[in-house]
Amino acid sequence: MDDVAAVAGVSRGTVSRVLNGGHNVSGPALEAVERAIRKTGYVVNQHARSLVTQRSDSVAFILSEPQDRLFEDPNFNNLLRGCTQILAEHDITLLLTVAGTSADRKRIGRWVTAGHVDGALVVSNHLGSPLLDELKGRGLPFVVCGRPLGHEREVSYVAADDRDGARQMVVHLRSRGYQRIGIITGPLDTSGGVDRLAGYRDVVGDVDPALIEAGDYSQASGEAAMERLLRAGPDLDAVFVCSDLMAAGAITYLQRIGKRVPDDIAIAGFDDSKVATTITPRLTTIRQPFGRVSQEMVRLLLAHIAGEQHAAVILPTELVIRESA
Amino acid sequence: MDDVAAVAGVSRGTVSRVLNGGHNVSGPALEAVERAIRKTGYVVNQHARSLVTQRSDSVAFILSEPQDRLFEDPNFNNLLRGCTQILAEHDITLLLTVAGTSADRKRIGRWVTAGHVDGALVVSNHLGSPLLDELKGRGLPFVVCGRPLGHEREVSYVAADDRDGARQMVVHLRSRGYQRIGIITGPLDTSGGVDRLAGYRDVVGDVDPALIEAGDYSQASGEAAMERLLRAGPDLDAVFVCSDLMAAGAITYLQRIGKRVPDDIAIAGFDDSKVATTITPRLTTIRQPFGRVSQEMVRLLLAHIAGEQHAAVILPTELVIRESA
DNA sequence: CTGAAAGCGCTTACAG
DNA sequence: CTGAAAGCGCTTACAG
């Protein structure tokens, strides 16, 4: 920076002003500095800048799932893409960190709170994970994707209306005449797991426990859960599967044992992710508004960084009817 | 830090020494400082530290591919996992950045060279991308995954022996009696694309151009290339497909039009990724040593950061025979 | 083993 | 509009 100032024939203060938008700088000075920057190939030292501004202009995208999940589940991809794009418009870099093990979560908690980032987007939070407490304790602004079980009134989050989506789906299945409707839920330590099950219960009422199985959102878990479900209740005529990926697994299993979907058993999904339209039969599912979720998460986070209080945003979900149910 | 020093009753210098390994610190002082750190909940400011040490203890994993590719292609997952793990052992954080568009590449080039990271792992570099020149110009240590076309003698890289792998596969196909062997290559602006094609040519010799089609490593491109290949040369009896994912696409297409694999057409893959054993028939393929690739990339990068010159590492590939060819 | 002090490379009131 | 100066929070010779 001293070099640039020397070459341009101005003070370092003026160089800094040019770097930060060029306010209060005369035309000739601005031009001289810009020329000098090009000539010297100068790049600001972000650490020095951040040390005084107390800002890093980057935020973390924390995925607290084993790394494989990130790659298997297209929802994360959707969210990541949306957030990156919107943040780029604000000239903020998004750093992806995968916290699969508890050792990872610890290292990343330290890293995040050491000032490397201005805030964090927390995706896929599980009940009992210490991450939220850690972030909260450090006073780092963050927003959670999905309802943060047990922290609803103290942290920002944006969630799709999982419960209502589940209700819509089960109502739809009923309207098609299905009587014995089973469910394959997500992990019951996540909001997507409990809320969709709650919506199902809202409609079905008193549920035969044999009709409920849990998966972990992976395709393999959908296959396994379908097998268990069928063994416990062979008279099922429909299953509400709480993610499209698990639904794909369930269909794979059914086809392998020679059952037709939806003729023998109807299968409904959740997410409206890519697999919903590539699989045969195409999935009847609940559309999650991932674009809006990303958008609202970023908006809330930036507001938070700017000093605003926390808030919750609930976005509507929508029934999409195709062939599978 | 002043707080910690005050609470512990020592100078900031001593606190700093404790933070950096506790050398040259007396037992009682060390203990007092550690107690004070716990009591105050102190966390170092990384920017201040980096400003003086000129190190950030983090490195970037730069994927210069559209984001979708990251999620579709399990090879990236493998590499990422390996690198993260090995770096964690050195207490270095890995930051993933996806540079899909040229605007992204520019922003990330700036970000990376602004001192945020000590070095970079560059994955999936395409011929003509300005990224390598940018990094080189800034003097940032980095190592490339795969042969960096046109930069072989000036940058560090680690690559699997693609050419030899391709040779092994084609020799195998020949030994099985296949006569008309086609190839679906990767993108011809990447080393994986050109080197595997070169290996194929090494064995086949003078090649009928109708036997060559290019894909982009995605499953969809494998399907499309298979269709073109069959139209141009209906008498094919085997195809060497330069990635397992594309091979899966090719098989999907063949099964859809009623051809049997390997009875009507044999299909060979490359990578030995997960899909190789989940698809029916299971793939005969070339195993890439991803674990060792990650390991060597990290080793080379750390050596580079420590001041060593660049180097190239070529790792052997291995034929894995299953049912598809 | 320990403290006082310089310095890392910036930004930003402040005075002009 | 501009420059001189203070200060951001650390680390690390240096002297003791």
Side-chain angles (χ1 to χ4, degrees), chain B residues 8-322:
Chain B
V10 300
S11 72
R12 291 160 40 204
T14 299
V15 174
S16 179
R17 277 184 281 268
V18 171
L19 254 26
N20 292 287
H23 305 302
N24 296 340
V25 178
S26 69
L30 193 145
E31 212 169 290
V33 170
E34 284 178 340
R35 212 173 11 238
I37 288 176
R38 263 194 304 278
K39 185 172 168 196
T40 56
Y42 169 79
V43 179
V44 290
N45 179 316
Q46 285 295 344
H47 297 300
R49 170 178 282 179
S50 294
L51 183 56
V52 15
T53 61
Q54 307 282 21
R55 293 206 33 170
S56 67
D57 293 319
S58 49
V59 312
F61 187 98
I62 305 178
L63 183 75
S64 41
E65 288 281 340
Q67 186 178 300
D68 296 358
R69 302 280 310 120
L70 166 64
F71 290 91
E72 186 186 348
D73 198 326
N75 295 347
F76 297 132
N77 191 349
N78 281 331
L79 284 171
L80 184 59
R81 187 211 320 277
C83 293
T84 309
Q85 192 184 313
I86 302 167
L87 283 167
E89 290 166 13
H90 293 266
D91 224 18
I92 294 178
T93 308
L94 201 170
L95 272 16
L96 173 63
T97 56
V98 183
T101 68
S102 73
D104 285 349
R105 269 188 279 272
K106 220 163 163 179
R107 191 161 37 76
I108 288 174
R110 263 205 329 261
W111 187 82
V112 154
T113 53
H116 276 119
V117 294
D118 299 331
L121 300 164
V122 179
V123 177
S124 184
N125 186 61
H126 289 263
L127 190 62
S129 160
L131 186 62
L132 261 40
D133 285 326
E134 168 91 12
L135 296 179
K136 194 128 187 68
R138 296 278 172 208
L140 191 85
F142 66 98
V143 6
V144 178
C145 178
R147 199 160 61 81
L149 301 176
H151 293 269
E152 289 86 344
R153 32 195 358 130
E154 49 189 51
V155 309
S156 282
Y157 68 93
V158 4
D161 197 337
D162 287 309
R163 187 162 182 162
D164 182 63
R167 264 189 234 122
Q168 289 182 61
M169 181 57 84
V170 182
V171 166
H172 165 72
L173 293 174
R174 281 281 179 88
S175 77
R176 288 276 164 119
Y178 297 109
Q179 304 286 340
R180 286 281 285 176
I181 303 174
I183 181 171
I184 296 177
T185 73
L188 294 175
D189 61 348
T190 66
S191 61
V194 300
D195 289 351
R196 293 170 203 171
L197 176 57
Y200 165 85
R201 284 201 154 112
D202 288 344
V203 181
V204 174
D206 232 8
V207 185
D208 179 354
L211 294 180
I212 304 179
E213 285 290 343
D216 64 5
Y217 288 136
S218 73
Q219 180 153 358
S221 78
E223 281 194 52
M226 189 66 235
E227 182 175 3
R228 293 196 302 274
L229 216 46
L230 221 48
R231 203 179 312 129
D235 56 338
L236 279 172
D237 55 9
V239 180
F240 167 38
V241 189
C242 292
S243 86
D244 287 349
L245 214 51
M246 293 198 294
I251 288 177
T252 302
Y253 174 74
L254 291 173
Q255 291 178 336
R256 194 163 54 230
I257 64 168
K259 299 261 189 193
R260 290 163 307 163
V261 177
D263 306 308
D264 297 327
I265 296 188
I267 295 290
F270 202 102
D271 289 340
D272 197 23
S273 60
K274 191 176 167 204
V275 69
T277 53
T278 58
I279 199 170
T280 309
R282 297 186 310 143
L283 287 176
T284 289
T285 189
I286 296 292
R287 177 169 301 154
Q288 293 218 61
F290 287 115
R292 289 190 64 196
V293 171
S294 315
Q295 203 175 309
E296 292 295 311
M297 284 183 74
V298 170
R299 189 183 60 75
L300 238 43
L301 183 61
L302 295 181
H304 229 332
I305 292 173
E308 270 191 36
Q309 287 298 303
H310 66 267
V313 174
I314 309 290
L315 267 11
T317 48
E318 181 194 351
L319 176 65
V320 180
I321 301 177
R322 299 202 182 89

Side-chain angles (χ1 to χ4, degrees), chain A residues 120-198:
Chain A
L121 300 165
V122 178
V123 176
S124 184
N125 187 62
H126 289 261
L127 190 64
S129 160
L131 187 61
L132 261 38
D133 285 325
E134 168 92 11
L135 296 178
K136 193 125 189 70
R138 294 282 172 204
L140 191 85
F142 66 96
V143 7
V144 178
C145 179
R147 199 159 60 81
L149 300 176
H151 294 271
E152 289 87 344
R153 30 193 3 128
E154 50 189 51
V155 311
S156 283
Y157 67 93
V158 4
D161 196 337
D162 286 309
R163 186 160 183 165
D164 183 64
R167 265 188 233 121
Q168 289 182 59
M169 181 57 85
V170 182
V171 165
H172 164 73
L173 293 174
R174 283 280 177 92
S175 77
R176 288 275 165 117
Y178 297 110
Q179 305 284 342
R180 287 283 284 176
I181 304 172
I183 181 169
I184 297 176
T185 72
L188 294 176
D189 61 348
T190 65
S191 60
V194 300
D195 290 350
R196 292 169 204 171
L197 177 57

Side-chain angles (χ1 to χ4, degrees), chain A residues 73-240:
Chain A
D73 197 326
N75 295 349
F76 297 134
N77 191 347
N78 280 330
L79 283 171
L80 184 59
R81 188 212 317 278
C83 293
T84 308
Q85 192 183 314
I86 302 168
L87 283 166
E89 291 167 11
H90 293 266
D91 225 16
I92 294 178
T93 308
L94 200 170
L95 272 17
L96 174 63
T97 56
V98 183
T101 68
S102 72
D104 285 351
R105 269 188 280 273
K106 219 161 163 180
R107 192 162 35 75
I108 287 176
R110 263 204 330 261
W111 188 82
V112 154
T113 53
H116 277 117
V117 294
D118 299 330
L121 300 165
V122 178
V123 176
S124 184
N125 187 62
H126 289 261
L127 190 64
S129 160
L131 187 61
L132 261 38
D133 285 325
E134 168 92 11
L135 296 178
K136 193 125 189 70
R138 294 282 172 204
L140 191 85
F142 66 96
V143 7
V144 178
C145 179
R147 199 159 60 81
L149 300 176
H151 294 271
E152 289 87 344
R153 30 193 3 128
E154 50 189 51
V155 311
S156 283
Y157 67 93
V158 4
D161 196 337
D162 286 309
R163 186 160 183 165
D164 183 64
R167 265 188 233 121
Q168 289 182 59
M169 181 57 85
V170 182
V171 165
H172 164 73
L173 293 174
R174 283 280 177 92
S175 77
R176 288 275 165 117
Y178 297 110
Q179 305 284 342
R180 287 283 284 176
I181 304 172
I183 181 169
I184 297 176
T185 72
L188 294 176
D189 61 348
T190 65
S191 60
V194 300
D195 290 350
R196 292 169 204 171
L197 177 57
Y200 164 84
R201 285 202 153 111
D202 288 343
V203 181
V204 174
D206 233 7
V207 184
D208 178 353
L211 295 180
I212 305 180
E213 284 290 345
D216 64 4
Y217 289 137
S218 74
Q219 180 153 358
S221 77
E223 282 194 50
M226 188 67 236
E227 182 174 4
R228 292 196 303 273
L229 216 45
L230 222 47
R231 203 180 312 128
D235 56 338
L236 279 172
D237 55 9
V239 181
F240 168 38

